[in-house]
Amino acid sequence: METVNIKINNMAASVPAGSTILEAARTIGIEIPTLCYLKEINEIGACRICMVEVKGARSLVTACVFPVTEGMEVFTNTEKVRKSRKLTLELILSTHDRRCLSCVRSGNCELQALCKEFGVDDEAHFAGENPRYDFDDSAAHMVRDNNRCILCRRCVAACQQQDCAVIGANARGFNTHIGSAFEKDLADVSCVSCGQCIVNCPTGALSEKDDTDKVLAAINDPEKYVIVHTAPSIRATLGEAFGLKLGTNVQGKMVAALRRLGFDKVFDTDFAADLTIMEEANELIERVTNGGVLPMITSCSPGWVKYCEHYFPQLIPHLSSCKSPQQMFGAVIKSWYAEKNGIDPAKIVCVGVMPCTAKKFENKRDGQNATGYPDVDIAITTRELARMIDSAGIYFKHLADEEFDNPLGEASGAGVIFGATGGVMEAALRTAVETLTGEELRSLDFTEVRGTKGIKEASYQVGDLTVNVCAASGLQNARKVLEEIAAGTSKYHFIEIMACPGGCVNGGGQPVQHAVVRNFVDLRGARAKALYEADAASAVRKSHENPAIKQLYAEYLGEPGSHKAHELLHTHYTARPKYK
Amino acid sequence: MLKKISKLPFTGTPEQEAQLQAIIASVDGDKSLLMHVMQKAQGIYGYLPFEVQAIIAEGMNIPLEHIYGVSTFYAQFALAPKGKYNISVCLGTACYVKGAQDILDKVTEELGIISGECTADGQFSIEACRCIGACGLAPVMMINDDVYGTLTPAQIPAILEKYRNA
């Protein structure tokens, strides 16, 4: 590797040629603050917080995009640099809604943290007349508040990376604001609800629609039987909100916290992930053996499903008709579970804790109320759960581990890996291969579809059939795979698509990690590792061997793909226009 | 300045769309020619309403929001149609110090629309413009190609009346 020799703050360093000053500084333990910078996604040098002095340069330069050259001398912490950063912050604050106390991101705001770091002592230093913006709370999943926006454009870059680009910078100068085409509301454009803009926002300008009040109201209503279930990835991320190390599996503490919050039953969405596999594997086998539409594409990611409906409506027949695990769970709770336990489904409130903002859209879709009641009444994100735990005075870190309730707390290792890209594929293969060949798999690890790469592909020999599979995450990657299908050149039989890059572990509802973490730590990998470890440690690692699943089919559903299963667990999709 | 989005119904014809499609086809997928296409589109339709930008978005495979962002960034793009009579009130330095703002305010009051808008009957539109090179006549306004100089607000109703009855 070609290197160049530079000096940063008088310390000599040899760094790879082509590095930026920001990257070079990190290699010798010097952190330069950033705000607009998102590695590989938003490298625009716009916010000017990362300014450093370079010997011989005419003015300060932006460390995030300025490449190092041989012999360069950089100073990251001079009087001039500190003054510039403070001034930049004061200017940003001049148009910022500075009511931090009531902001959802207070305490976890990148702007707030920088103001503290650089000693901003008068947040209204340049106060003056400002444009005021109305909230946009038109969408089911989120609220946009441009008064808190600092125009870093990280959301714009994230939306573009998700191949939607429904938000961007409109107008110019003082009137510049982030919005949609023709100032349309978010609900009226082809936003897929993935929430990647939210997790990439440094301030409180973007946030999930908070449904915690609804959950608390249900818990406090003695008439209601409130059931909560947590998606596979929540156990791998919730701890971050309480200062635990990235990738800590907090399943036991999470269950304990949910009981203390007052839920009547605490179940595991992983059970429904296993159920999804039963139905999806069956659907795949049907399609392969009966000449159905191939490739079949998974349908558990509601952001992906909405993307398909807006951008590739002609490919809807490729989508599996299976509901997502969240919705299957609700349907089973309000039918089998309610009947078995003599509970009136009208009194059940089913709450899903999801890594995902699109789940708030999904549970309100048509065809998601199999029993006549909504399958899932309320979907909250990991962040909302963390806030509920906080405000209930639960000392999360010190909780003793507890177990899920049964039987719907019982799940296989296949269910838990749903939270990482490739996980659904691997889980489905474990069941489909054994079902098709009638033989037990020697190894359950389909490592080719693991990892955080955007598109992963593999071929497996199943009996005399070669099955070509693909797992794509992030919607730009999805587009590549979909364009092949549309052109008729796709070689795959089965495709897993997750809207969010890296899958649910990096979902739009997950705890916010500041850009400095997102840029330099493998967030997706660290979170996913916790799920693969949980799978490896599971006694049951195949969905079809989950005893609770067997019981459900034996007592209630009959066979996968049965009439009853179709009634409860399958749904339909609809082409959606790009603009209303 | 924030641009006003016209609420007037779109009246584009199939012939206009064919012209625009031909322009889009001529750039052969080169997305860097977006502004060129937008300029041509404005030449065809007079402005760039949703329907026109949507055709460009689809034809050039560029997100509509991106095109809208460009159309609101550059002063040359209009989101509202021009009226049969387009009134340009000069707000250049010389006109401004001679009271051009009062002229603009009076025109606005008389027509019930603001700068960048077009009246519902399609007769008048107003735009605030920069120096038109007639500083000696400040304050100046143009209605299509007719120049009116050394104006006072009191003269405005009679001038507009001429065009209303034309």
Side-chain angles (χ1 to χ4, degrees):
Chain A
M1 185 175 55
E2 202 190 327
T3 59
V4 295
N5 300 300
I6 60 169
K7 272 187 182 171
I8 305 181
N9 300 347
N10 296 316
M11 286 189 278
S14 180
V15 300
S19 308
T20 61
I21 294 175
L22 177 71
E23 290 163 342
R26 280 193 76 87
T27 63
I28 55 168
I30 294 172
E31 194 174 311
I32 297 170
T34 58
L35 198 46
C36 69
Y37 175 74
L38 278 183
K39 199 173 181 183
E40 285 160 19
I41 302 176
N42 201 41
E43 300 182 343
I44 58 174
C47 77
R48 323 309 277 178
I49 202 72
C50 67
M51 299 299 239
V52 294
E53 264 189 88
V54 171
K55 195 173 178 184
R58 195 163 46 87
S59 58
L60 297 177
V61 304
T62 46
C64 69
V65 290
F66 205 88
V68 292
T69 48
E70 183 63 35
M72 182 184 266
E73 286 186 53
V74 181
F75 301 92
T76 70
N77 188 29
T78 62
E79 172 85 17
K80 192 174 174 186
V81 164
R82 284 198 304 273
K83 262 192 177 165
S84 160
R85 289 184 186 152
K86 188 176 171 191
L87 179 68
T88 297
L89 288 166
E90 286 168 343
L91 287 167
I92 291 173
L93 287 171
S94 73
T95 57
H96 185 69
D97 182 344
R98 298 180 292 270
R99 291 174 302 169
C100 289
L101 293 179
S102 54
C103 177
V104 65
R105 288 288 296 276
S106 186
N108 186 23
C109 167
E110 294 183 38
L111 179 62
Q112 204 179 44
L114 286 168
C115 286
K116 189 172 172 218
E117 194 176 335
F118 291 99
V120 169
D121 42 15
D122 179 9
E123 72 273 25
H125 190 71
F126 293 111
E129 197 185 320
N130 272 320
R132 299 320 298 168
Y133 298 97
D134 293 335
F135 289 178
D136 180 358
D137 58 358
S138 60
H141 67 295
M142 72 179 288
V143 181
R144 291 182 55 238
D145 178 4
N146 268 341
N147 301 304
R148 298 192 194 273
C149 173
I150 59 167
L151 297 172
C152 67
R153 291 162 170 77
R154 277 160 52 173
C155 59
V156 176
C159 194
Q160 199 162 351
Q161 194 208 18
Q162 285 295 63
D163 199 48
C164 293
V166 293
I167 49 172
N170 293 341
R172 72 189 289 176
F174 202 49
N175 288 311
T176 308
H177 60 279
I178 305 302
S180 295
F182 288 84
E183 313 300 340
K184 284 179 186 290
D185 286 339
L186 208 52
D188 295 335
V189 301
S190 46
C191 164
V192 301
S193 326
C194 72
Q196 283 300 312
C197 53
I198 302 175
V199 285
N200 281 301
C201 179
T203 71
L206 306 175
S207 57
E208 63 285 348
K209 214 171 236 180
D210 190 305
D211 288 314
T212 56
D213 283 350
K214 287 184 201 158
V215 177
L216 289 171
I219 289 174
N220 291 330
D221 184 342
E223 285 288 292
K224 299 288 187 201
Y225 193 79
V226 190
I227 289 172
V228 68
H229 59 109
T230 58
S233 63
I234 312 298
R235 70 208 71 201
T237 60
L238 181 63
E240 292 169 27
F242 302 98
L244 292 167
K245 204 172 138 258
L246 266 181
T248 308
N249 186 336
V250 295
Q251 178 177 313
K253 292 186 195 316
M254 173 180 75
V255 172
L258 289 165
R259 283 220 178 87
R260 277 159 188 66
L261 283 172
F263 289 102
D264 293 298
K265 287 287 177 202
V266 181
F267 288 140
D268 195 349
T269 320
D270 294 14
F271 165 84
D274 281 335
L275 184 55
T276 304
I277 288 304
M278 297 301 289
E279 291 296 319
E280 208 160 68
N282 178 69
E283 187 182 353
L284 178 65
I285 293 167
E286 289 261 308
R287 289 195 191 204
V288 170
T289 48
N290 297 336
V293 177
L294 289 174
M296 183 175 95
I297 315 177
T298 59
S299 57
C300 357
S301 164
W304 142 241
V305 169
K306 192 163 188 270
Y307 175 83
C308 184
E309 292 174 324
H310 281 298
Y311 297 89
F312 287 89
Q314 76 275 29
L315 300 185
I316 286 176
H318 291 268
L319 277 173
S320 160
S321 65
C322 290
K323 285 181 184 173
S324 74
Q326 159 171 274
Q327 299 303 119
M328 283 200 184
F329 194 94
V332 169
I333 281 289
K334 295 196 178 178
S335 57
W336 181 53
Y337 184 81
E339 282 174 36
K340 218 171 139 68
N341 294 280
I343 308 168
D344 177 1
K347 291 188 174 157
I348 297 180
V349 176
C350 182
V351 178
V353 181
M354 297 288 135
C356 178
T357 45
K359 292 284 172 192
K360 291 175 186 285
F361 171 80
E362 182 187 53
N363 73 336
K364 297 172 191 78
R365 287 177 63 105
D366 282 349
Q368 303 283 352
N369 47 358
T371 55
Y373 304 100
D375 294 339
V376 172
D377 298 271
I378 309 166
I380 61 171
T381 59
T382 318
R383 294 190 291 273
E384 288 164 273
L385 174 59
R387 288 204 293 273
M388 287 180 72
I389 294 171
D390 251 340
S391 70
I394 296 167
Y395 201 12
F396 188 81
K397 275 205 238 181
H398 288 228
L399 287 172
D401 288 358
E402 291 182 18
E403 296 288 327
F404 282 113
D405 288 310
N406 272 329
L408 303 176
E410 219 165 334
S412 76
V416 80
I417 56 174
F418 258 60
T421 167
V424 178
M425 174 60 66
E426 182 166 347
L429 286 168
R430 289 180 191 173
T431 291
V433 173
E434 289 203 354
T435 310
L436 275 172
T437 61
E439 289 165 27
E440 196 169 337
L441 280 164
R442 261 175 293 160
S443 164
L444 292 180
D445 297 335
F446 292 81
T447 49
E448 298 81 359
V449 291
R450 294 187 182 183
T452 54
K453 238 175 85 189
I455 298 178
K456 296 165 283 186
E457 52 177 27
S459 292
Y460 297 106
Q461 198 62 36
V462 184
D464 46 9
L465 196 71
T466 306
V467 181
N468 298 323
V469 303
C470 170
S473 71
L475 293 171
Q476 251 179 22
N477 294 317
R479 170 172 286 275
K480 291 178 198 150
V481 175
L482 295 168
E483 278 176 347
E484 283 179 9
I485 302 176
T489 57
S490 180
K491 60 177 186 284
Y492 307 119
H493 299 92
F494 186 33
I495 300 171
E496 175 204 296
I497 295 181
M498 292 292 156
C500 292
C504 309
V505 286
N506 187 35
Q510 295 288 26
V512 170
Q513 287 292 349
H514 288 187
V516 63
V517 177
R518 302 189 79 87
N519 288 334
F520 297 107
V521 177
D522 178 14
L523 197 61
R524 304 163 199 177
R527 288 169 171 175
K529 193 163 163 274
L531 299 182
Y532 285 108
E533 283 169 0
D535 167 39
S538 299
V540 177
R541 295 186 61 200
K542 297 173 237 173
S543 300
H544 55 284
E545 291 181 356
N546 175 347
I549 290 286
K550 287 184 185 170
Q551 191 191 353
L552 171 63
Y553 278 103
E555 284 182 18
Y556 198 68
L557 295 175
E559 296 293 310
S562 69
H563 182 69
K564 189 97 190 156
H566 263 275
E567 242 175 45
L568 287 175
L569 309 178
H570 291 254
T571 187
H572 56 268
Y573 311 101
T574 173
R576 296 176 195 272
K578 282 193 188 162
Y579 292 92
K580 276 187 205 156
Chain B
M1 182 155 135
L2 273 180
K3 290 189 186 181
K4 290 292 277 188
I5 301 166
S6 171
K7 292 194 177 70
L8 297 175
F10 177 62
T11 56
T13 63
E15 291 74 30
Q16 285 175 316
E17 181 167 347
Q19 281 179 50
L20 176 55
Q21 293 291 8
I23 304 285
I24 294 170
S26 73
V27 301
D28 199 22
D30 184 348
K31 294 182 184 184
S32 70
L33 293 176
L34 172 63
M35 284 194 47
H36 164 77
V37 172
M38 289 170 72
Q39 284 162 342
K40 292 284 182 189
Q42 183 155 302
I44 296 167
Y45 291 93
Y47 71 125
L48 298 174
F50 172 82
E51 291 80 358
V52 173
Q53 293 196 23
I55 294 171
I56 301 174
E58 205 56 42
M60 295 186 75
N61 195 19
I62 293 175
L64 180 62
E65 159 48 35
H66 184 76
I67 299 173
Y68 177 77
V70 173
S71 75
T72 52
F73 186 88
Y74 291 103
Q76 61 174 296
F77 296 117
L79 298 181
K82 297 268 185 285
K84 184 175 169 198
Y85 303 109
N86 183 43
I87 305 172
S88 310
V89 180
C90 177
L91 290 185
T93 311
C95 288
Y96 194 81
V97 298
K98 293 287 256 177
Q101 187 64 49
D102 295 337
I103 304 297
L104 179 60
D105 289 348
K106 186 66 184 172
V107 176
T108 300
E109 181 195 319
E110 285 292 311
L111 295 177
I113 53 168
I114 64 164
S115 178
E117 287 186 310
C118 179
T119 53
D121 61 6
Q123 285 292 297
F124 292 100
S125 54
I126 313 177
E127 63 183 4
C129 67
R130 294 298 160 196
C131 187
I132 56 175
C135 308
L137 298 175
V140 178
M141 130 182 133
M142 288 179 75
I143 299 185
N144 290 353
D145 293 331
D146 306 336
V147 179
Y148 296 87
T150 54
L151 285 165
T152 62
Q155 295 171 295
I156 299 298
I159 296 174
L160 293 178
E161 205 51 34
K162 267 195 338 203
Y163 292 89
R164 280 205 181 99
N165 299 329

